[in-house]
Amino acid sequence: MDYDEDQVLTDYVWSHGYNYMTELEQFGQKAVLARFKAEKSSPVMAQKILEQWWHLNDKGVNEALSKGVAQFQLAVRDRVLRDHPEIVNRCPSCKRVVRTPTAKQCHWCFHEWRKEI
């Protein structure tokens, strides 16, 4: 697997940055997930998902998503990283982003930085 810093950071913030997102960004993330689930569901289940999901018809959310999910994700990533750069956990050896904020082993170069007991 090739390392694409932009994509890795986007995925990282999308997966681990929920608490750093604004309320609108959180609602947007929920709407994206609801729409994705609805696309993969039966028509009856899709209708239930779309009817019950929070803020799916919110004007602000729909405006934020108007340029597409990818652009929304990039905007959220850029804002979160600008305001909270400390969220990113990087390998001390290769400086790449690791999988989680608490990871102590790099899945790119396999360097470990756990404290010995």
Side-chain angles (χ1 to χ4, degrees):
M1 182 165 127
D2 291 332
Y3 182 80
D4 178 354
E5 177 91 1
D6 283 340
Q7 188 60 53
V8 170
L9 281 170
T10 301
D11 294 344
Y12 186 89
V13 169
W14 198 248
S15 297
H16 306 292
Y18 185 82
N19 292 334
Y20 297 95
M21 293 179 191
T22 65
E23 187 176 76
L24 177 64
E25 292 167 346
Q26 290 174 349
F27 293 158
Q29 184 185 42
K30 289 177 183 180
V32 167
L33 293 173
R35 292 172 185 175
F36 177 76
K37 287 180 180 186
E39 287 174 8
K40 304 295 180 187
S41 299
S42 69
V44 172
M45 186 55 108
Q47 185 63 32
K48 287 182 181 183
I49 290 169
L50 295 175
E51 286 174 358
Q52 295 176 4
W53 205 267
W54 295 353
H55 308 285
L56 193 57
N57 295 316
D58 184 282
K59 184 179 177 184
V61 169
N62 288 330
E63 187 176 315
L65 294 170
S66 66
K67 294 182 182 175
V69 173
Q71 287 301 316
F72 173 71
Q73 288 177 322
L74 291 176
V76 170
R77 178 201 69 193
D78 291 346
R79 206 252 343 128
V80 168
L81 292 178
R82 182 183 66 246
D83 294 352
H84 302 282
E86 73 280 0
I87 187 180
V88 180
N89 184 13
R90 292 185 179 271
C91 172
S93 180
C94 71
K95 307 300 184 218
R96 291 178 174 180
V97 178
V98 296
R99 289 193 177 165
T100 70
T102 58
K104 298 292 184 192
Q105 181 177 14
C106 180
H107 65 283
W108 301 104
C109 73
F110 306 107
H111 176 72
E112 278 191 55
W113 58 98
R114 303 170 208 255
K115 290 187 178 184
E116 295 294 324
I117 297 175

